Structures are given as structure tokens and as C-alpha cells.
Amino acid sequence: MKPPSPNSSSSSSSSSSPSLPRKPRFSPYLFTLLVFIFFVAVLYGEDLACIFSQQLQLNLAPARPSPATQKKWEKLPFAIGKLKEEGCDVFSGRWVRDEVTRPLYDESDCPYIQPQLTCQEHGRPDRSYQYWRWQPHGCDLPSFNASLMLETLRGKRMMFVGDSLNRGQYVSMICLLHSLIPDEEKSMETFDSLTVFTAKEYNATIEFYWAPFLLESNSDNAVIHRISDRIVRRGSINKHGRKWKGVDIMVFNTYLWWMTGLNMKILQGSFEDEVQDIVELSTEDAYRMAMKSMLRWVRKNMNPKKTRVFFTSMSPSHGKSIDWGGEEGGNCYNQTTLIQDPNYWGSDSRKSIMEVIGDVFGQSKFPITFLNITQLSSYRRDAHTSIYKKQWTPLTSEQLANPVSYADCVHWCMPGLQDTWNELLFTKLFYPY
Ligand SMILES: *[C@@H]1O[C@H](CO)[C@@H](O)[C@H](O)[C@H]1NC(C)=O
Ligand SMILES: *[C@@H]1O[C@H](CO)[C@@H](O)[C@H](O)[C@H]1NC(C)=O
Ligand SMILES: *[C@@H]1O[C@H](CO)[C@@H](O)[C@H](O)[C@H]1NC(C)=O
Ligand SMILES: *[C@@H]1O[C@H](CO)[C@@H](O)[C@H](O)[C@H]1NC(C)=O
């Protein structure tokens, strides 16, 4: 078993030099500029995306899939039964302290966790975030059965496509499964945008494909992807989609990278065009465009009788403690308790994006299983990596003096919250009703 290489992480690793000079069409000026961008990216670390997010506060209720759509879901592949309380909304519930069955694995027992997510290794003083179990109001979640999951994946491919948050869920899934597989029977390899975990005896792969917008964009480089002026190309889903063909269980996400301001730049032609034809769309319209592209791709390329498609909703960040009535200037740093207000949602554009998702999926002819993790995760201000992660460049003395300034309030410690996302995925895969 090879340990995962740092280059397979979502962050700009300082050990990986950009191989820009190989491409002859770069002028020296452009090269210098790109190197500059690279260093700025490294300097500012990852995950500043949320800082630019705008606060759109729309108050409309998200649409739900219509009954007609749900009818078509009756014979979903991989389903083995019904929940005891049929129709239970597993996403509506509360967090319960559980020091008996949590965590589902130990940080040190899963070598696949990227160093940006190993909070204990990086000095987090408490483990309280590891001992919470999600309890739906209307039913109990079935316990995650790793051997059932692996048997189901026999001869199959499961793939996660999206951004670093989806990569986190991917790694969590591997952590939940890998201990059943002997060392010589498993491996993990990265080829550009694609990371593949193989369980040899099962002839199964669990894969992650980096495509933060799903569509082609100027942020698609899996190692050096931090570009401030983000551009997404309209109608380009096949650029990545051709690598997704033949997958049996698909898990998409996309959200954070769209949050660059009120508008998003959309390229009409190709990135090779000498003069680029770029229009600006509102974040919601741009996001809707991507959702529709994804659905069209799924309809053309996946068989609803054999395959399953999941979509994970927006992962909330906790960058401003005033959102939950905390002190001004604070964030997720030094938070060890949950937000208690059951109506807490947070003050960013998540509401309007949720509406777009509800709209688009409500009209979908293909059964997409929606993992609605936004609300349940929004209580978890305690579960972020904060300052307890690998830093790619040394911190300055100003930063060290003020930990709030460099806390990562976007990503999640592992084990932790994202294991719950996979318990919900497990539930919806096998007991979708
Ligand atoms: C887990 O799944 C396997 C089948 O793959 C089954 O034999 C076993 O009984 C299950 N375990 C539990 C605790 O349900
Ligand atoms: C292994 O799985 C792939 C699908 O991922 C399938 O095409 C192939 O036939 C399988 N091979 C064997 C030996 O079962
Ligand atoms: C962390 O929060 C506690 C209160 O919950 C406070 O007493 C302590 O001073 C804080 N520590 C830092 C370093 O901010
Ligand atoms: C997701 O869950 C939240 C909380 O239960 C709910 O308010 C919202 O309507 C759900 N979104 C969709 C699109 O179903």
C-alpha cells in the first residue's frame, strides 16, 4: 500500500514545482505572472474562497422533488429494504453525544487522511468533535456496515466528483472501509485529476475526480488550482465527464468555488480562443447552468436501472462568529461546542443556492439522490480543522499571534462530521425509502 502523496491533496504543495515552462505558448511574462499567482496561492493558503462569498439573504423555501418524480424512484438499484419508519427524513434531526460508538475509526488508523485534515496530529487539544452521532427525529440510522458496502462494490466503480470537500467525504469513505482489506490487497494512486483507491480482491475502485465546478474551468489543475479570477466554460461538462463513464455509484458536489462574488464569469467559446468571449452571470444563474449540465450528462451517460447518482448539498463554513451570536472578529477557532439553535442557518448565499438545487432536481427525469447535509452540518462550528492542519508555508509571527487569522473554517477534521455524511449516503443507498 502506498501512502497517499501530498500532491494528491487539494492544496498547493510547495514540494511540487509547476511544470509551466514545458508549454511553448507561454511567454516569459505569462510565466512570471503564473509563478506569481502560484506563490500568492501558497501564501494565502487554501480556502479563502469563503471570504469573497457574498451575503445573499433570500427567504424562499426550497422546492422538494415532486411526487411524480419520487414515483420513478421506486426500483432504485442497490436498495435492499425500507427504513422501519418509511419516508423518514433522515436529514432532519439533532446531534447526540455518543462516546460509545464514536468515532467510527481512529485518526491514526487511517493513513489516507490528507495532512490538511489530521487535526490530532497537528495539535488539536480536544477530541470532543469526534463523539457526536446524528439522530434523525423520525427514525434511527442503520449502522454503517463496511462489509456490506464492500460486497456491494465488488466488480464496481464508485466515484466522487467535485471539490476538496467532496475529497474529504471520499477519504472518509475509504477510512470507513479500508480496515477490512489487508495491506497487500489495497492501493491508492493519483493520476492528474483522478485519485483511485483499489480493493484488489474485490475488483472494486473508489475514486475521486477533481472538478470544482463540474464544468471545465481555469481552476482544474489538481495541484495548482488557486486562481483568483475564476472562469467557467459553458457547455463543457464532457471535458471531465468522459472520465466518469462506466461508474456505478456517483457522488457529485459543487458549491464553494462558485462563491466569488455576486457574479460568475462564463466563457462562451474555448480557453484556446485568442479573444475570449466572456459574459457574467449571477451566481445563481451560473450555478443553475452547471446543475442542468450535470443532469443532462447523467441522463445521457448513466443507466437509472443499474447506477445511482448522489448529489451532496453545500458544506457550510463558519468564518464569522457573529453569525451565531458570538463575538465580533471570531470564527471557528477555539469552538468546541455545537450551535444549539435548531433554526440556525448562517448568513450566506446557501439559501438561494438550495433553491436552485431544489428547482433543478425537482424537474429531473433521472433519480438523483440528494444528500441534504447543509443544515445538519451548520450546527458543527466545532468540527472544522481550524489551525490544526498542515501549513504549506511557515506562519508569520503576526499570524501566530492571532490564530483566528489563519483558522480554516471550511474543511472538517477526520474522523468527524464527514463520516456522518457517509452514514447518510449508506442509508440512502441501501434504504432509500
Ligand atoms: C453486514 O453485511 C453483511 C453482508 O454483506 C452481513 O452478513 C452482516 O450480517 C451485516 N452485519 C450487520 C451487523 O448487520
Ligand atoms: C472488474 O470490474 C470491472 C468494472 O469495474 C469489470 O469491467 C471487470 O469485468 C471486472 N473483472 C473481473 C475479473 O471481475
Ligand atoms: C477559548 O475559549 C475559551 C472559552 O470557551 C476561553 O476561555 C479561552 O480563553 C479561549 N482561548 C483562546 C486561545 O482564545
Ligand atoms: C434540506 O434540508 C433542510 C433542513 O431539513 C430543509 O429546510 C431544506 O428544504 C432541504 N432542502 C431540499 C432541497 O430538500
Side-chain angles (χ1 to χ4, degrees):
M1 174 182 69
K2 279 188 219 152
S5 89
N7 290 354
S8 71
S9 79
S10 64
S11 181
S12 312
S13 153
S14 42
S15 64
S16 60
S17 54
S19 51
L20 297 170
R22 274 208 317 256
K23 299 196 178 169
R25 69 169 183 277
F26 284 111
S27 69
Y29 165 72
L30 188 56
F31 175 63
T32 314
L33 180 71
L34 286 171
V35 168
F36 174 74
I37 291 171
F38 172 69
F39 281 110
V40 168
V42 168
L43 264 179
Y44 285 86
E46 54 178 359
D47 322 324
L48 287 187
C50 56
I51 285 185
F52 302 103
S53 72
Q54 294 294 309
Q55 301 179 18
L56 305 174
Q57 295 177 324
L58 296 183
N59 249 337
L60 306 166
R64 288 170 186 286
S66 68
T69 319
Q70 271 163 356
K71 256 236 155 77
K72 296 195 190 92
W73 299 25
E74 264 162 19
K75 278 182 231 137
L76 284 177
F78 302 107
I80 57 172
K82 292 180 175 170
L83 289 169
K84 241 189 266 148
E85 295 78 11
E86 211 179 318
C88 167
D89 178 2
V90 292
F91 305 106
S92 166
R94 67 200 160 91
W95 288 100
V96 174
R97 188 86 186 155
D98 181 345
E99 293 179 12
V100 178
T101 68
R102 306 294 121 145
L104 293 174
Y105 54 88
D106 205 69
E107 181 185 292
S108 57
D109 291 338
C110 185
Y112 304 98
I113 311 174
Q114 311 94 296
Q116 299 99 302
L117 306 180
T118 47
C119 298
Q120 292 299 317
E121 189 190 347
H122 292 94
R124 180 156 175 166
D126 69 300
R127 285 176 190 265
S128 55
Y129 61 95
Q130 298 186 352
Y131 299 108
W132 295 98
R133 177 171 56 78
W134 180 248
Q135 177 64 56
H137 290 311
C139 54
D140 290 336
L141 290 182
S143 19
F144 188 94
N145 183 338
S147 86
L148 173 60
M149 189 73 208
L150 269 175
E151 283 302 337
T152 303
L153 288 175
R154 197 176 277 282
K156 296 208 161 50
R157 288 174 75 191
M158 179 175 195
M159 186 186 271
F160 293 75
V161 174
D163 61 23
S164 58
L165 289 150
N166 215 21
R167 188 198 297 268
Q169 189 177 349
Y170 162 71
V171 170
S172 154
M173 179 60 85
I174 293 171
C175 291
L176 289 166
L177 299 178
H178 88 100
S179 60
L180 292 186
I181 310 166
D183 277 356
E184 60 283 5
E185 295 283 338
K186 59 193 172 191
S187 64
M188 194 194 249
E189 286 176 284
T190 293
F191 321 87
D192 296 326
S193 297
L194 186 67
T195 300
V196 181
F197 175 85
T198 307
K200 292 188 192 68
E201 200 266 319
Y202 291 88
N203 184 32
T205 59
I206 306 175
E207 310 175 30
F208 172 76
Y209 186 96
W210 169 259
F213 293 99
L214 305 182
L215 303 183
E216 183 183 7
S217 77
N218 63 353
S219 310
D220 287 344
N221 186 304
V223 180
I224 311 155
H225 50 237
R226 203 156 308 276
I227 291 179
S228 60
D229 197 21
R230 298 172 199 162
I231 303 172
V232 175
R233 184 178 160 217
R234 190 191 287 277
S236 61
I237 195 145
N238 277 324
K239 170 83 195 292
H240 299 308
R242 60 203 164 92
K243 307 278 176 58
W244 312 335
K245 289 187 182 169
V247 167
D248 299 282
I249 300 174
M250 189 73 157
V251 186
F252 288 110
N253 93 327
T254 183
Y255 166 60
L256 197 59
W257 285 71
W258 297 92
M259 301 296 115
T260 65
L262 282 173
N263 287 335
M264 186 73 216
K265 290 200 164 110
I266 307 296
L267 175 70
Q268 313 269 22
S270 112
F271 280 107
E272 270 74 51
D273 292 348
E274 206 135 301
V275 181
Q276 297 196 341
D277 178 7
I278 290 173
V279 295
E280 295 206 4
L281 289 185
S282 71
T283 305
E284 287 75 14
D285 286 347
Y287 193 83
R288 184 185 307 275
M289 171 194 83
M291 290 289 99
K292 287 187 167 169
S293 287
M294 180 192 77
L295 278 181
R296 214 173 304 129
W297 185 90
V298 163
R299 238 179 23 238
K300 273 196 189 147
N301 295 284
M302 295 192 82
N303 178 350
K305 293 205 170 68
K306 294 207 174 101
T307 61
R308 285 286 292 277
V309 178
F310 292 84
F311 185 85
T312 308
S313 65
M314 306 83 78
S315 172
S317 45
H318 291 87
K320 281 183 279 154
S321 40
I322 44 169
D323 288 351
W324 57 86
E327 274 173 46
E328 184 133 7
N331 58 21
C332 70
Y333 171 67
N334 196 27
Q335 299 290 340
T336 52
T337 58
L338 278 59
I339 292 172
Q340 297 298 330
D341 174 8
N343 297 316
Y344 175 77
W345 177 262
S347 72
D348 62 15
S349 56
R350 298 198 281 270
K351 277 219 158 98
S352 56
I353 294 291
M354 189 65 103
E355 280 165 40
V356 173
I357 295 174
D359 254 25
V360 177
F361 287 177
Q363 294 162 21
S364 169
K365 294 191 189 80
F366 193 103
I368 306 271
T369 306
F370 186 49
L371 297 180
N372 188 356
I373 54 81
T374 306
Q375 181 74 56
L376 66 94
S377 306
S378 72
Y379 307 125
R380 298 302 308 275
R381 63 181 172 199
D382 63 310
H384 290 287
T385 50
S386 183
I387 63 170
Y388 309 109
K389 58 184 278 188
K390 175 164 179 162
Q391 308 291 339
W392 297 104
T393 49
L395 296 162
T396 64
S397 45
E398 287 86 358
Q399 284 175 313
L400 286 169
N402 180 20
V404 166
S405 70
Y406 68 97
D408 176 347
C409 300
V410 171
H411 296 96
W412 310 97
C413 296
M414 208 167 287
L417 174 66
Q418 294 194 293
D419 305 319
T420 295
W421 298 3
N422 279 321
E423 291 180 271
L424 291 162
L425 192 161
F426 175 91
T427 302
K428 285 290 182 186
L429 181 65
F430 295 114
Y431 308 93
Y433 318 106

